[in-house]
């Protein structure tokens, strides 16, 4: 499993409480615990929780599909996530699954709990919903992402016109459900024409850990092309408004050294950057 690509969830001080909750629900472990950043591991997958402040709220434009082997497993996760949460689609039988439900938990994270066949060793799959100005662009997005990343492919694509479920208000050529991989990491995506009161934002982003400056430059330049936008500290938005963090592994190595004074110099240098430049980090560390 590729743990160089993983989701980052934004919190306003309640990241630790959320980390403990998810580790209880999914029998995971907390692997890093600082006041700002927590990492958890669920089913061998890494998720990052960032206590960033009140600026961004997580929403259902990015949900997490959990593929379950049995109805009891679906029920178990559903019952726990419903504690303080809200059912967005009730747990029931649907044309695409004998037992399925969509829920927003008490921390604002949305989950699709799904009885079905797990096609890879990745049990939790980020699911992107293309709405508003992006509605009808799910196929374009999959082609865009799989062209940029190595070891990538578009898998199964189900369109609304294929006749699964009663979605007569959706355009038949739009994507009802699709699977794609970037560098071996799985995503689902869909188009949706409802006038939701939310869209992609920094509340949920995808972190990509890079090996060197060449990879960093390639991903940064490719993802920001054709209407994307550079932000600070390795953050960017692509042309669909979806947020990425392009983070060289060298940054983590320099920040996690024993010399706290040098590590702080690295942090200060990084805070002034948009795209992360490894040479400038090393110069700060050695200054």
């Amino acid at each position: 499993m590729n743990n160089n690509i993983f989701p980052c969830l934004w919190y306003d001080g309640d990241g630790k409480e959320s980390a403990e909750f998810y580790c209880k629900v999914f029998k995971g472990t907390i692997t890093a615990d600082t006041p700002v950043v927590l990492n958890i591991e669920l089913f061998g997958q890494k998720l990052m929780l960032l206590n960033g402040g009140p600026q961004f709220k997580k929403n259902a434009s990015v949900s997490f599909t959990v593929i379950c082997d049995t109805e009891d497993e679906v029920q178990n996760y559903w019952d726990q996530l419903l504690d303080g949460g809200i059912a967005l689609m009730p747990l029931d039988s649907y044309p695409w699954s004998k037992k399925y439900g969509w829920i927003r938990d008490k921390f604002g994270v949305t989950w699709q709990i799904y009885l079905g066949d797990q096609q890879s060793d990745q049990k939790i799959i980020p699911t992107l919903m293309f709405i508003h100005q992006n509605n009808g662009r799910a196929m374009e997005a999959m082609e865009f992402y799989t062209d940029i990343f190595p070891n990538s492919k578009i898998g199964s694509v189900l369109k609304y016109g294929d006749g699964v479920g009663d979605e007569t208000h959706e355009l038949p050529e739009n994507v009802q459900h699709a699977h794609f991989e970037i560098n071996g990491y799985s995503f689902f995506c869909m188009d949706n024409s409802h006038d939701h009161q939310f869209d992609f934002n920094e509340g949920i982003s995808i972190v990509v850990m890079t090996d060197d400056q060449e990879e960093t430059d390639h991903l940064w330049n490719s993802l920001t092309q054709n209407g994307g936008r550079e932000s600070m500290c390795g953050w960017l938005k692509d042309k669909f408004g979806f947020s990425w963090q392009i983070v060289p592994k060298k940054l983590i190595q320099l920040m996690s050294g024993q010399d706290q004074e040098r590590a702080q110099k690295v942090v200060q240098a990084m805070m002034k950057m948009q795209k992360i430049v490894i040479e400038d980090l090393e110069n700060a560390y050695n200054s």
Side-chain angles (χ1 to χ4, degrees), residues 65-82:
T65 299
V66 183
I67 302 174
C68 301
D69 297 324
T70 66
E71 293 189 40
D72 286 345
E73 187 183 8
V74 174
Q75 192 71 55
N76 176 42
Y77 298 146
W78 180 266
D79 290 344
Q80 293 184 79
L81 292 169
L82 191 58

Side-chain angles (χ1 to χ4, degrees), residues 4 149-150 183 208-221 245-254 275-282:
N4 290 326
F149 287 85
N183 206 5
V208 184
M209 304 297 298
T210 58
D211 289 327
D212 51 34
Q213 194 65 50
E214 182 180 7
E215 184 183 8
T216 302
D217 291 349
H218 165 67
L219 294 178
W220 185 271
N221 295 338
Q245 299 181 56
I246 309 302
V247 183
K249 295 174 184 176
K250 189 68 175 179
L251 171 64
I252 307 303
Q253 294 168 6
L254 294 173
K275 179 182 71 178
I276 304 297
V277 180
I278 296 172
E279 183 179 4
D280 292 349
L281 295 177
E282 292 173 331

Side-chain angles (χ1 to χ4, degrees), residues 104-175:
R104 183 172 69 239
D105 69 29
K106 59 186 174 183
F107 297 101
V109 180
T110 56
W111 304 84
Q112 299 188 59
I113 312 299
Y114 174 87
L115 177 64
D117 295 328
Q118 192 172 329
Q119 298 175 357
S120 70
D121 59 355
Q122 188 177 323
K123 192 175 179 74
I124 300 176
I125 301 181
T127 304
L128 313 184
M129 183 161 56
F130 291 84
I131 52 182
H132 305 306
Q133 73 278 4
N134 286 324
N135 183 34
R137 301 181 74 190
M139 196 73 210
E140 176 192 348
M142 289 192 289
E143 292 169 347
F144 180 66
Y145 298 142
T146 55
D147 280 347
I148 290 171
F149 287 85
N151 188 26
S152 300
K153 64 181 181 181
I154 297 174
S156 58
V157 178
L158 178 72
K159 297 190 175 181
Y160 285 105
D162 296 335
V164 177
D166 183 20
E167 297 286 353
T168 54
H169 57 282
E170 300 285 358
L171 294 173
E173 66 270 20
N174 281 7
V175 172

